[in-house]
Amino acid sequence: MLLLAAGLGGCALVPWRRQPAPPLGLGGETRQQPALSGDGRLLASLVERGGRTTVLLQERRSGRVLPLRHLRDHQPHSSPALSWNGRYVALLVQQGGRRQAVIEDRATGRLQPLFLPMGLEPRRLSLAPDGQRLALEVIAGGSQRVELFDLSGLLEPDLAPGQRQSGGGAPLQP
């Protein structure tokens, strides 16, 4: 009993362990605004390329860069966010003189712009792991606020393996 208590006490001193990321094979590029997919498999970060800030999506373990088909034409990028399996990559892009929130669906290759009412300038965003909601920090009339958007009619859920959509009847009994 005493050994168990001593062992558990040691665990309390180290609630988590830092795991250095494996080398990503991209030299010494400065990275900013990192975002992990819910399963921890993918890493999105911002890098400077050719004088423009662009989002880079990589498999965390191998460092392999994954293509983002529609985002190259809309730069600079900021505030990346990923859904659970990384199907959806949400971020802010520059469209002319305005910033716009967009979501790339990596499964279908579609780019989904989120049209905001006039006068709202997006600053930062956060995508729910299932891809069904988006929180957007906006500036309106000189003040900042957070707007929440329901994406359930726009995007399919990106659920963790074994997870099902809510609803659908009574829970299973053991």
Side-chain angles (χ1 to χ4, degrees):
M1 182 77 120
L2 185 56
L3 287 175
L4 178 60
L8 291 176
C11 290
L13 295 176
V14 184
W16 57 273
R17 293 180 189 209
R18 182 174 166 249
Q19 295 179 347
L24 296 177
L26 295 171
E29 288 180 306
T30 300
R31 293 168 178 266
Q32 299 176 0
Q33 299 182 26
L36 283 172
S37 59
D39 62 5
R41 191 177 58 83
L42 300 178
L43 170 67
S45 57
L46 300 180
V47 296
E48 191 77 19
R49 295 250 169 106
R52 297 193 123 181
T53 304
T54 189
V55 68
L56 192 66
L57 182 63
Q58 295 178 283
E59 289 181 337
R60 195 179 59 78
R61 293 199 188 274
S62 71
R64 183 171 70 105
V65 175
L66 302 174
L68 295 169
R69 298 177 197 151
H70 299 287
L71 297 176
R72 273 178 261 141
D73 299 331
H74 306 285
Q75 290 180 319
H77 303 150
S78 64
S79 194
L82 298 169
S83 60
W84 182 263
N85 297 299
R87 175 179 177 173
Y88 302 114
V89 179
L91 67 151
L92 300 177
V93 298
Q94 195 70 31
Q95 287 283 92
R98 291 190 55 163
R99 294 173 92 191
Q100 182 176 20
V102 297
I103 300 172
E104 179 162 322
D105 182 341
R106 294 181 50 245
T108 66
R110 285 188 13 220
L111 185 68
Q112 181 65 56
L114 300 174
F115 297 103
L116 300 176
M118 288 300 291
L120 293 183
E121 181 72 21
R123 286 191 39 135
R124 210 170 274 124
L125 60 76
S126 178
L127 182 65
D130 65 1
Q132 298 297 282
R133 289 164 305 286
L134 182 86
L136 191 60
E137 178 186 331
V138 296
I139 298 174
S143 64
Q144 291 177 228
R145 69 177 191 244
V146 173
E147 297 277 337
L148 299 175
F149 294 89
D150 179 9
L151 305 175
S152 61
L154 195 61
L155 304 175
E156 294 177 24
D158 186 18
L159 302 174
Q163 187 180 16
R164 66 183 184 115
Q165 283 184 278
S166 60
L172 298 174
Q173 298 297 319

